[in-house]
Amino acid sequence: MSTVQQQFAPAPLDVLIIGAGLSGIGAAHALTDQCPDKRYLILERRAAIGGTWDLFRYPGIRSDSDMYTLSFSHKPWTHRKAIADGADIKRYIEDIAEESGITHNIRFQRKVISASWSTEAALWTITALATDPSGNEQEEVYQARLLSICAGYYSYDEGYRPEFPEEQVFKGQIIHPQFWPTDLDYSGKRVVVIGSGATAVTLVPAMAKTAAHVTMLQRSPSYVVARPLSDRTAQSLQKWLPMPTAHRLTRWKNVLIGSFYHRLALKKPDFFKMRLIQMAKAQVGSEVDVKHFIPSYKPWDQRICAVPDGDLFHDLRAGRASVVTDTIESFTENGIRLSSGEELEADIIVTATGLRLNAMGDVQVSVDGETVAVAERMSYKGMMLSDIPNLILTFGYTNASWTLKAELTSNYTCRLLRHMDSQGYRIAVARRDPAVQNMPFLNFTSGYVQRGAHVLPKQGDRKPWQVYQSYLADKLTIQYGRVDDGIMQFK
């Protein structure tokens, strides 16, 4: 494939990628680098590259993973911030696309609505709605030998937004972070942020810089840990070593440390919980009751929130922000009345209440005329779905950086394509063994996971149907395991 692909012959594509975020651009880069003969396109529903990092525009938007693992192994992260701003991450993705010639292979404002597989033709037929500059829509049809779905795991059209009693009487503004108004002025305003997850702990310190006061209202606490904004080891290595080497060493250092702490949390949850609480207590000091940072669940039953240089704790100690643990009785004209009887006055209420899970980007998938229910399928190595041929689904980690799994997935895609070419195969499909028992795809208690469990595929109780949530285990299985493993069937 040439670096620039602006026009395609009527012949089917080798690969069609859905989504131009981190995963989609990573998949395209792998194809460009490892399978240069393959013809591909990316269909992106938005008008820009970036995915999550283009969609979310709320104050302080940043990564909740370190950038040495959230970035790709082939492009070192060169900024000083280890926990990066959303705009910097978006530019990083755009740079990869431009440097690799990927940008020319993206068709923007194409919303994929269906994908139909034909075993006879060994092809996917993909239907998309294309929107022109005037807002008019028309259908476009593409064909591809392999479909790579890199559309993320949540709905872009709607977040999770529960209805609260009497919220219509509130005189101020109610905003969901996923749809942040570009012209919102919150300087000098009283703000209540409903939520306790990664979005809430990001919003509170960002808004506290100019707001009169920001209150984080949580129904129950989350684990919150202060992490350095910059990685001193990375900065030191970059002074003495070539950037690629320094990046690789920092990446592995962070992978191994993260893996160690995750295993420790699973093996000794009480000890690990006590340590997290001690760290929070040291951060809040005597000014804030540490009870607001003592969750009822075990560490890593939900994702741990990272705050760079303890910015949230700093604002709590300084009195610019506060945290309240209570439930909502109703909204009032001037704010929120809590079950305790207290009223929180607010000019702006932000509902940082979470995402709405979405397993396949709202794409309706069918195989030989039969509609596929994703929740009834089993995940093969966390990348493919049982009895669905020539389809790769990118789904990252819940306990580590998304990109770690995305990169393994895109590299596996190239291995699979090269293997099929060498053997003259047209079809690759993981056939499910009825003896393999169903298990939940994610062993996670976060609200968005529990609410969306019915749309996710299953995992199995044995290899290769297990979803490890472990980069080291996946690297052995995906990168070094056999492609023709006896489960994957070729034709």
Side-chain angles (χ1 to χ4, degrees):
M1 181 186 69
S2 61
T3 302
V4 178
Q5 293 178 315
Q6 296 197 31
Q7 298 294 329
F8 285 93
L13 299 162
D14 293 299
V15 181
L16 188 136
I17 300 168
I18 301 176
L22 261 173
S23 301
I25 298 302
H29 181 274
L31 286 169
T32 302
D33 185 52
Q34 302 174 41
C35 297
D37 60 318
K38 298 303 178 189
R39 302 166 61 253
Y40 72 86
L41 269 182
I42 301 175
L43 300 185
E44 167 55 50
R45 63 177 297 179
R46 297 174 63 78
I49 291 171
T52 291
W53 307 106
D54 179 62
L55 174 69
F56 284 95
R57 303 293 180 91
Y58 60 79
I61 173 69
R62 65 194 180 202
S63 64
D64 65 347
S65 302
D66 74 275
M67 285 306 302
Y68 300 99
T69 56
L70 190 65
S71 59
F72 290 99
S73 60
H74 60 79
K75 184 173 176 60
W77 179 252
T78 59
H79 296 257
R80 288 191 62 85
K81 289 184 179 179
I83 300 177
D85 300 328
D88 289 337
I89 302 173
K90 177 176 163 60
R91 280 192 291 271
Y92 173 84
I93 302 169
E94 291 170 338
D95 288 345
I96 295 174
E98 192 61 36
E99 292 165 6
S100 304
I102 294 168
T103 306
H104 302 284
N105 302 331
I106 305 173
R107 301 296 178 264
F108 293 104
Q109 296 192 290
R110 264 71 172 182
K111 181 180 179 180
V112 178
I113 55 176
S114 67
S116 175
W117 169 262
S118 167
T119 299
E120 182 179 359
L123 286 175
W124 284 100
T125 299
I126 299 98
T127 303
L129 285 179
T131 304
D132 66 22
S134 300
N136 300 313
E137 293 182 339
Q138 65 176 13
E139 281 194 0
E140 293 181 348
V141 177
Y142 303 81
Q143 287 191 318
R145 296 184 176 89
L146 184 139
L147 181 62
S148 175
I149 299 182
C150 299
Y153 65 104
Y154 63 89
S155 171
Y156 276 39
D157 295 326
E158 54 180 333
Y160 176 63
R161 170 67 168 85
E163 294 292 328
F164 297 102
E166 305 298 325
E167 64 178 72
Q168 70 278 1
V169 306
F170 178 59
K171 292 181 177 180
Q173 290 178 274
I174 303 175
I175 298 163
H176 193 284
Q178 191 165 325
F179 310 102
W180 196 267
T182 56
D183 59 349
L184 179 68
D185 181 11
Y186 52 86
S187 57
K189 302 291 181 65
R190 299 163 300 175
V191 181
V192 173
V193 177
I194 302 173
S196 61
T199 301
V201 302
T202 299
L203 272 167
V204 171
M207 299 185 77
K209 292 176 181 177
T210 57
H213 188 80
V214 183
T215 303
M216 185 171 80
L217 171 59
Q218 57 184 15
R219 183 175 53 187
S220 58
S222 298
Y223 292 105
V224 182
V225 176
R227 293 180 61 180
L229 181 60
S230 298
D231 188 316
R232 292 182 180 179
T233 301
Q235 300 302 316
S236 298
L237 289 173
Q238 289 172 15
K239 291 179 181 178
W240 301 104
L241 296 172
M243 184 61 74
T245 304
H247 178 76
R248 185 163 56 250
L249 290 174
T250 305
R251 183 181 176 90
W252 271 111
K253 182 261 295 183
N254 290 354
V255 165
L256 293 174
I257 289 175
S259 178
F260 169 77
Y261 282 125
H262 182 250
R263 290 199 306 271
L264 180 63
L266 296 181
K267 289 181 179 179
K268 298 184 176 181
D270 293 337
F271 166 79
F272 201 80
K273 177 175 182 173
M274 181 181 67
R275 180 60 185 141
L276 292 177
I277 294 170
Q278 288 174 343
M279 293 168 64
K281 188 173 184 178
Q283 287 286 335
V284 299
S286 60
E287 292 90 348
V288 182
D289 194 332
V290 74
K291 71 177 184 180
H292 299 299
F293 299 96
I294 304 179
S296 59
Y297 57 87
K298 296 177 181 178
W300 283 118
D301 280 355
Q302 298 182 25
R303 197 172 176 98
I304 294 174
C305 298
V307 290
D309 287 347
D311 58 1
L312 172 67
F313 297 119
H314 184 72
D315 285 320
L316 292 175
R317 293 195 306 269
R320 290 185 292 271
S322 56
V323 57
V324 174
T325 304
D326 206 337
T327 54
I328 296 173
E329 179 181 298
S330 68
F331 279 34
T332 66
E333 289 187 359
N334 300 313
I336 297 174
R337 181 178 297 111
L338 305 176
S339 299
S340 63
E342 180 184 359
E343 183 171 353
L344 299 177
E345 294 187 348
D347 303 300
I348 298 171
I349 296 174
V350 181
T351 55
T353 45
L355 306 167
R356 191 172 295 279
L357 222 60
N358 181 327
M360 300 277 277
D362 283 331
V363 179
Q364 298 297 312
V365 177
S366 62
V367 174
D368 294 326
E370 181 179 345
T371 300
V372 170
V374 174
E376 297 175 1
R377 304 293 169 145
M378 186 172 286
S379 175
Y380 170 83
K381 296 185 178 179
M383 301 182 300
M384 301 180 74
L385 299 177
S386 59
D387 303 312
I388 303 183
N390 294 28
L391 183 143
I392 301 288
L393 176 63
T394 300
F395 202 103
Y397 295 120
T398 58
N399 61 352
S401 293
W402 180 276
T403 314
L404 291 172
K405 182 63 178 289
E407 190 166 27
L408 288 175
T409 301
S410 59
N411 290 340
Y412 176 85
T413 302
C414 295
R415 286 186 68 203
L416 180 65
L417 289 170
R418 292 197 304 268
H419 178 79
M420 293 172 69
D421 286 350
S422 68
Q423 302 298 318
Y425 296 134
R426 303 169 67 204
I427 298 174
V429 57
R431 294 296 182 193
R432 181 173 175 178
D433 181 350
V436 180
Q437 298 300 307
N438 281 338
M439 296 179 65
F441 184 77
L442 296 176
N443 185 23
F444 224 46
T445 63
S446 293
Y448 72 95
V449 173
Q450 296 302 307
R451 291 190 300 269
H454 66 285
V455 306
L456 293 175
K458 304 295 188 293
Q459 67 166 307
D461 60 356
R462 67 196 72 172
K463 297 179 181 180
W465 304 101
Q466 290 171 304
V467 179
Y468 290 118
Q469 297 298 334
S470 166
Y471 178 68
L472 298 177
D474 276 335
K475 193 169 181 68
L476 288 173
T477 302
I478 295 171
Q479 185 169 330
Y480 298 110
R482 292 174 54 201
V483 174
D484 190 353
D485 60 359
I487 302 297
M488 183 67 67
Q489 297 184 14
F490 297 95
K491 183 177 179 181

